[in-house]
Amino acid sequence: VSTLRIQHESREPVPGAPTDPVSSWLDVLEKLLDLPVDESRSIREELASHLRERVRDLTLTGMNEGEAVRAAISELGDAAELARRFHRARSPSRRRHVMNIILAATASAALVGGGVAVRSAGQSAEKERARLTQENDALKQLTGAVLAQDDAAANQALLKDLAPRAVESAKGKNEITRGAILSALAGALAAPQPEFVVNCEQTDTWQQLFDSIAKGAGKGSFTNFNSLDPLGIVSTQQVGLKVGGMKLEDAIRFLNENFPDIPGNGRIDYRVTDSMIEFASEEYFDRRERTTRTYSIDPLVRSLLDKEAAPPQTLEGVRHSHVSAEKAVGEDISQLIMEMVETNMWMANGGTLASIRRFGGKLFITAPLRHFERIEWVLREAGAMEPVATADGAPRNVVIAVDPETNGLVVVRPNGDTLRCSTIELPDSNSTSATLDSAVWRRGVPVLSSVPTISRFFTDKAGMESRSHLPEPSIPSDGLVR
Amino acid sequence: LTPGVLYPLLKGLESKGLVQTSWEEVRADESEEGEGRRRKWYKLSAKGRKRLEQRIAAHRAYRAIIDAFIGGTKGETAR
């Protein structure tokens, strides 16, 4: 054992040899890391240098060397855990870049929802009332903040625009299904962007073109040229084009349609945030905005089993026919979806963007957000299925509907598999929306949800006022931040 | 942020090309021959700067939501 240690020592000299705990700790870590030699060597070297510095600092504060070494090592924590962290840091997370948006949305939903998500069964009625009052106050403030900041007509239009379908589906029912809300919000996501009139002069390069389109809309631009590269768009390449008096949407369509270099399967797309327009390929945004939702195929399985001529006589037989019915239904419905919606994006068809998997009576569908509207249409037509859950945080969502006529609020909260609605009376309003039917149906519109709609909504509307007094983060001025 | 969290994060940034790194030999006073300490420098890369810019935009949007939620008006929001 001792010869082995001496070998290591000579490879990585550390003060305090030959029985130096730093070195043996690093040996252990290096083993746990189990990475290619050059990588683990570089990690080892960095940590060794850190430990050396740290031990020196600690001894300067009066510790003896043994104490200092122990303290420095224990600051790094458990070696196995540290190795795991290095491993995690190496594999890039696909969802990382959408995280902020989702985070913002779920955080705000969680704030408003408060105790909703973790409601215990035995909660007393009094507590419930107190919670509702609290929620009520918060909601009032929120909607006040949202609605007060623009002129009434614009608010009205915006609210009306946000979820006509949720309202439509709530008509005559006492509940809004999650599917209706999700599809309404997906619809809102697809709603036209705010209109800017773009005027840009004769420009030289793609970079300048995108910059001036954004400038015409009064915003900065951020162009992901990496993603545009397959479309033959290079930042320094000459374009020589003039776009005048067009809306942003039209300008982009004009670009997509008038550049023969752009292959048929690629398109330029954009997203608008409060300060920027982001340009990238459509595929890039699709990849970024992928989400997973699950759907129950039980209704279809049951109806298939009902149609069976001779019901099985044994328990085993029942189980067997149920399993094979699930399999058959799952395969059929997957085929149907993959044929009806964007055939080429599915992994089963050689695409990379979307996939369908069945597990038991559930279908897991991963696809770009914008395609779910159509996927859900197919599912509904096939057997009235509603999404059970979505991976982007919707199960804990809270949707708030506002009735502008009465200033009453409608809160749509998760409750088991469906969303039940309840109206909330505002203390300063003497009119109570008596039933859900009237409240939601009359004019109620979701304002807040955990789907990314929220960020656009707030960014485009409410965000504007708040932004003016947010401290500007400081970045070295090299022209990157406009 | 403990060093046990920091170093893996830096490694992650490095492997994603968001930071550029370089080693520097630090020779504090006259130490034994050859045994200079080495120090690693991290510098934001162009890609890293872009990413930072995106994060800042997302953060602003997030702040805006919270501000709207807690309902401050123009004059009274804390700076």
Side-chain angles (χ1 to χ4, degrees):
Chain A
V1 175
S2 65
T3 47
L4 200 86
R5 174 159 296 156
I6 286 159
Q7 259 180 358
H8 277 294
E9 232 55 75
S10 63
R11 209 181 52 182
E12 178 65 45
V14 176
T19 54
D20 178 48
V22 170
S23 191
S24 29
W25 185 82
L26 287 169
D27 287 344
V28 170
L29 180 73
E30 218 175 344
K31 270 202 198 72
L32 288 167
L33 278 173
D34 196 23
L35 291 173
V37 178
D38 54 338
E39 264 192 273
S40 65
R41 289 295 296 171
S42 105
I43 290 172
R44 184 193 173 106
E45 202 170 351
E46 182 165 15
L47 289 177
S49 132
H50 163 83
L51 286 170
R52 230 177 286 133
E53 294 264 1
R54 189 70 189 134
V55 167
R56 201 180 56 109
D57 288 352
L58 288 172
T59 47
L60 285 178
T61 67
M63 277 189 193
N64 71 41
E65 189 163 341
E67 282 171 2
V69 167
R70 271 195 299 280
I73 289 178
S74 76
E75 276 172 356
L76 282 172
D78 180 38
E81 173 59 27
L82 187 62
R84 267 198 296 279
R85 286 207 196 101
F86 273 113
H87 270 278
R88 273 202 297 273
R90 277 174 87 243
S91 47
S93 153
R94 242 191 302 117
R95 300 189 59 84
R96 194 66 61 81
H97 33 302
V98 271
M99 192 181 69
N100 280 309
I101 303 287
I102 304 288
L103 180 72
T106 41
S108 55
L111 265 176
V112 176
V116 174
V118 283
R119 186 146 54 133
S120 68
Q123 207 168 22
S124 72
E126 199 165 328
K127 258 190 180 162
E128 179 75 10
R129 249 201 312 283
R131 197 182 55 74
L132 274 175
T133 315
Q134 215 176 15
E135 199 172 283
N136 190 4
D137 288 348
L139 292 176
K140 208 180 121 216
Q141 280 186 358
L142 175 70
T143 45
V146 172
L147 295 176
Q149 288 182 8
D150 214 325
D151 59 300
N155 275 335
Q156 198 92 338
L158 185 79
L159 291 171
K160 223 167 98 185
D161 196 47
L162 261 171
R165 244 165 317 161
V167 176
E168 194 56 38
S169 91
K171 196 169 150 188
K173 289 193 222 166
N174 251 12
E175 60 177 33
I176 295 181
T177 60
R178 184 175 291 165
I181 285 158
L182 286 173
S183 68
L185 288 163
L189 259 183
Q193 296 268 0
E195 291 178 3
F196 311 111
V197 175
V198 175
N199 276 302
C200 63
E201 289 309 305
Q202 191 81 31
T203 51
D204 299 327
T205 63
W206 280 102
Q207 176 76 63
Q208 284 164 320
L209 173 72
F210 286 126
D211 283 354
S212 51
I213 288 179
K215 208 167 164 192
K219 292 181 182 254
S221 82
F222 175 77
T223 309
N224 185 327
F225 279 106
N226 277 349
S227 77
L228 291 170
D229 197 50
L231 279 64
I233 295 174
V234 178
S235 67
T236 53
Q237 190 197 327
Q238 303 231 320
V239 198
L241 174 91
K242 186 169 177 157
V243 183
M246 284 186 178
K247 288 176 194 163
L248 179 59
E249 202 186 339
D250 296 335
I252 298 297
R253 191 187 308 132
F254 175 78
L255 284 179
N256 276 324
E257 283 167 6
N258 289 284
F259 278 86
D261 281 357
I262 300 177
N265 53 355
R267 294 176 67 82
I268 307 172
D269 203 355
Y270 63 95
R271 295 289 181 272
V272 180
T273 68
D274 59 342
S275 59
M276 292 195 293
I277 302 182
E278 188 181 2
F279 297 97
S281 70
E282 192 171 58
E283 199 201 335
Y284 170 83
F285 287 118
D286 275 352
R287 203 166 286 285
R288 193 170 79 173
E289 291 160 6
R290 270 198 309 183
T291 186
T292 300
R293 291 181 185 171
T294 59
Y295 300 86
S296 166
I297 55 171
D298 283 342
L300 276 177
V301 173
R302 270 198 301 277
S303 79
L304 183 75
L305 289 173
D306 289 346
K307 282 181 201 143
E308 251 175 37
Q313 300 301 307
T314 65
L315 200 62
E316 184 58 24
V318 170
R319 205 187 66 85
H320 181 76
S321 73
H322 189 82
V323 168
S324 57
E326 274 177 350
K327 190 158 179 277
V329 168
E331 271 167 22
D332 279 0
I333 196 85
S334 302
Q335 282 304 324
L336 185 64
I337 292 169
M338 290 191 285
E339 271 166 38
M340 302 296 290
V341 186
E342 289 290 311
T343 312
N344 291 328
M345 75 175 174
W346 302 96
M347 283 179 185
N349 297 338
T352 57
L353 281 172
S355 67
I356 303 185
R357 285 285 177 276
R358 180 191 62 86
F359 183 79
K362 265 188 184 176
L363 224 48
F364 290 73
I365 302 183
T366 300
L369 193 58
R370 67 189 177 98
H371 292 305
F372 272 96
E373 193 182 351
R374 210 172 148 78
I375 292 170
E376 282 169 10
W377 176 81
V378 174
L379 284 166
R380 267 198 307 279
E381 288 302 304
M385 279 168 289
E386 301 291 352
V388 178
T390 116
D392 53 17
R396 58 194 297 196
N397 72 354
V398 175
V399 177
I400 305 163
V402 182
D403 181 355
E405 281 170 20
T406 62
N407 199 27
L409 291 168
V410 182
V411 182
V412 186
R413 299 189 263 124
N415 186 354
D417 265 346
T418 53
L419 290 163
R420 282 237 312 278
C421 296
S422 59
T423 56
I424 288 189
E425 185 182 354
L426 294 178
D428 61 351
S429 152
N430 48 11
S431 66
T432 312
S433 312
T435 66
L436 169 73
D437 269 356
S438 58
V440 172
W441 172 210
R442 204 158 48 220
R443 201 70 113 136
V445 184
V447 173
L448 181 65
S449 150
S450 61
V451 232
T453 322
I454 175 74
S455 73
R456 174 176 298 168
F457 174 78
F458 274 99
T459 320
D460 290 341
K461 284 292 167 188
M464 290 187 296
E465 288 296 305
S466 321
R467 189 156 44 87
S468 58
H469 50 258
L470 286 177
E472 288 291 311
S474 60
I475 298 187
S477 56
D478 58 2
L480 268 166
V481 181
R482 281 167 268 260
Chain B
L1 204 65
T2 68
V5 173
L6 180 67
Y7 284 104
L9 286 177
L10 287 171
K11 186 75 193 163
L13 293 177
E14 190 182 7
S15 66
K16 283 177 209 144
L18 298 174
V19 293
Q20 290 163 343
T21 58
S22 55
W23 283 93
E24 185 201 11
E25 198 87 17
V26 187
R27 235 169 245 279
D29 45 63
E30 55 298 320
S31 48
E32 305 92 283
E33 66 281 352
E35 240 274 304
R37 284 182 290 120
R38 275 155 66 72
R39 186 177 285 164
K40 197 172 184 183
W41 289 94
Y42 287 90
K43 188 168 173 289
L44 209 54
S45 67
K47 190 178 166 196
R49 191 174 295 280
K50 274 186 189 170
R51 182 70 60 84
L52 176 67
E53 202 185 328
Q54 288 174 313
R55 289 292 170 85
I56 286 170
H59 175 73
R60 281 209 202 110
Y62 175 70
R63 278 280 310 259
I65 292 173
I66 298 299
D67 279 5
F69 178 74
I70 57 181
T73 54
K74 241 181 272 178
E76 62 196 51
T77 307
R79 272 160 207 279

